[in-house]
Amino acid sequence: MKKLLNFKDIDKIKTIILNDGIIVFPTETVYGIGGSVYSENAINKIFDAKGRPNDTPLIVHISDIKMLDGIVKKIDNVSKKLMENFWPGPLTIILPKKENISNLITAGLDTVGVRMPENEIALRIISASGVPLAAPSANVSGRPSGTNILDIYNELEDKIDAIIDGGNTNIGIESTVVRVVDDVVHILRPGKITKEDIINIGLEVVDNMINEKIDINKKVISPGMKYKHYAPNTKAILVYSEDNEKMIAKINELSNENTVVIVTTKNADKYNSKTLIMGNNLEEISKNIFSTLRKADKLKADLIIIEGVKSEKLGTAIMNRLIKACSYNYIDLDK
Ligand code: TXA
Ligand code: MG
């Protein structure tokens, strides 16, 4: 693999970042395509590499709380409490941005999303470079996020300057994105840090926006919500019932000989069609879901059918990604 660097090549990585270059690097959620927040060239390269519409802002990654001084105007007490409890970790907090943060990064908004990742390689790269890294997930826009370099190498190799391998990412889906308004935490994108986790530290939480189908012409709170997302190339349908037998029966009814069903481990032998296992529990499913969607595409089926999970705890984030991966082709048998 060309362009593959080990994180021990930290001097090379630093030189790339400080000279307008961009890198694919691991975080605990998914891989990112990162560049210095202070390099407009790098930011433009990131949008080009992803083929991303420029009205979707990038997340700024820091390795040290002191870096916030150069990025945000002020931090309210609730956001501070979130940082104290969940950083480093998979939580992005939207805050008022300072003028020196380019409008390219924030898509013209007066706020910026910031996160301190927990992944050791990510933290070392940011601290060695001495600059925050603006980074979206590593995938071509609309595709499932990259959770290992084999999945994304061909997609991105000729558009970036280096790839740093960190194995399979631990969590597998992107960070929770929140914004505090009048001391209430609004979840804009669900993730590993759940509504329940935030309630547990004594904060008030609202998450009523997250699975709404967005009108393409409407102004949205979290830009990026309106575009196709996480999608395999093959047509996909999501089916869920709390009654496992009912769900299996419906999926078998919808299947034909050229269908692939993405299943939990316990249901692996319940289908007439070919199956791909996504895991045994919510943590495993979260970790495997994007690579399983990519695997399903490679089987050249006519149709992918995916078993849903219960929308609570980490299941909320998994269903949020799956509903979008299926372009809202979602059959909820309990409704
Ligand atoms: O886990 C993650 O968050 C990964 C890793 C690489 O850190 N990054 C990631 O970035 O998922 P991306 O660009 O694929 O998703 C960023 C999300 C988008 O939904 C975007 O709308 C939201 O964060 N976002 C960023 N800045 C925002 C802002 N100022 N206001 C509202 N939403 C914002
Ligand atoms: Mg993304």
Side-chain angles (χ1 to χ4, degrees):
M1 270 187 192
K2 281 189 302 179
K3 298 187 181 172
L4 188 64
L5 292 182
N6 189 292
F7 82 99
K8 294 197 184 86
D9 301 316
I10 193 73
D11 288 337
K12 274 191 203 155
I13 298 169
K14 176 179 166 183
T15 305
I16 290 171
I17 290 169
L18 296 182
N19 288 283
D20 299 328
I22 62 172
I23 61 166
V24 167
F25 69 104
T27 82
E28 71 277 22
T29 56
V30 300
Y31 276 77
I33 311 176
S36 164
V37 291
Y38 302 116
S39 164
E40 296 228 331
N41 280 337
I43 306 304
N44 279 322
K45 280 190 210 165
I46 292 172
F47 279 97
D48 281 353
K50 271 188 86 84
R52 179 177 215 164
N54 60 9
D55 64 349
T56 307
L58 308 181
I59 293 172
V60 171
H61 298 70
I62 58 173
S63 59
D64 188 310
I65 209 87
K66 287 192 206 101
M67 282 180 167
L68 277 178
D69 293 345
I71 302 168
V72 304
K73 265 192 190 145
K74 69 177 213 290
I75 309 168
D76 62 278
N77 286 337
V78 171
S79 295
K80 251 184 218 148
K81 187 162 180 181
L82 290 168
M83 290 170 192
E84 282 159 17
N85 281 275
F86 300 116
W87 278 6
L91 181 74
T92 297
I93 306 175
I94 310 297
L95 292 163
K97 83 168 184 90
K98 274 201 170 152
E99 258 91 71
N100 61 325
I101 294 298
S102 160
N103 281 325
L104 283 176
I105 294 176
T106 62
L109 298 172
D110 54 9
T111 54
V112 58
V114 192
R115 157 164 126 81
M116 189 192 293
E118 187 167 46
N119 179 288
E120 218 31 66
I121 299 177
L123 288 172
R124 291 231 205 142
I125 292 173
I126 301 165
S127 65
S129 313
V131 292
L133 285 188
S137 54
N139 54 274
V140 165
S141 190
R143 297 276 296 145
S145 304
T147 55
N148 64 76
I149 60 163
L150 280 178
D151 276 356
I152 46 185
Y153 188 79
N154 292 333
E155 221 166 270
L156 296 173
E157 186 260 332
D158 56 349
K159 301 177 181 130
I160 48 99
D161 299 296
I163 296 185
I164 296 96
D165 190 3
N168 288 323
T169 58
N170 249 334
I171 295 171
I173 58 176
E174 309 82 355
S175 61
T176 309
V177 178
V178 297
R179 177 168 185 181
V180 177
V181 182
D182 296 334
D183 289 345
V184 177
V185 182
H186 291 252
I187 298 183
L188 307 181
R189 179 176 71 183
K192 172 78 176 168
I193 306 291
T194 62
K195 182 181 182 180
E196 292 82 356
D197 292 332
I198 299 172
I199 291 170
N200 277 339
I201 62 163
L203 296 176
E204 203 179 319
V205 189
V206 179
D207 70 346
N208 48 11
M209 273 296 291
I210 54 184
N211 282 337
E212 263 175 45
K213 194 166 178 176
I214 303 295
D215 180 338
I216 195 110
N217 297 313
K218 258 195 213 156
K219 243 191 138 89
V220 290
I221 303 182
S222 188
M225 287 170 86
K226 65 187 178 187
Y227 293 107
K228 188 168 170 173
H229 237 122
Y230 319 116
N233 296 319
T234 316
K235 181 182 175 207
I237 304 178
L238 176 65
V239 178
Y240 178 68
S241 172
E242 231 176 292
D243 178 342
N244 193 45
E245 298 310 314
K246 195 169 161 188
M247 177 171 72
I248 291 166
K250 182 69 184 180
I251 292 177
N252 272 326
E253 180 195 317
L254 294 170
S255 309
N256 62 51
E257 63 284 358
N258 207 12
T259 300
V260 176
V261 188
I262 296 183
V263 302
T264 44
T265 314
K266 68 174 192 299
N267 289 340
D269 59 0
K270 301 277 175 63
Y271 294 101
N272 309 325
S273 330
K274 191 171 173 49
T275 55
L276 282 177
I277 295 174
M278 58 183 171
N280 201 19
N281 53 46
L282 295 177
E283 276 69 29
E284 281 180 24
I285 293 170
S286 162
K287 185 164 182 161
N288 296 328
I289 191 62
F290 287 136
S291 58
T292 310
L293 286 170
R294 285 170 179 272
K295 258 185 220 151
D297 255 345
K298 290 201 182 111
L299 296 175
K300 302 270 177 255
D302 302 337
L303 177 66
I304 298 169
I305 306 180
I306 309 170
E307 286 184 352
V309 298
K310 192 169 183 173
S311 263
E312 62 176 23
K313 302 186 182 140
L314 186 53
T316 309
I318 293 169
M319 286 301 273
N320 167 268
R321 304 310 190 272
L322 288 178
I323 288 170
K324 290 178 185 172
C326 295
S327 304
Y328 299 89
N329 280 318
Y330 172 34
I331 303 173
D332 181 346
L333 296 167
D334 302 336
K335 271 205 177 139

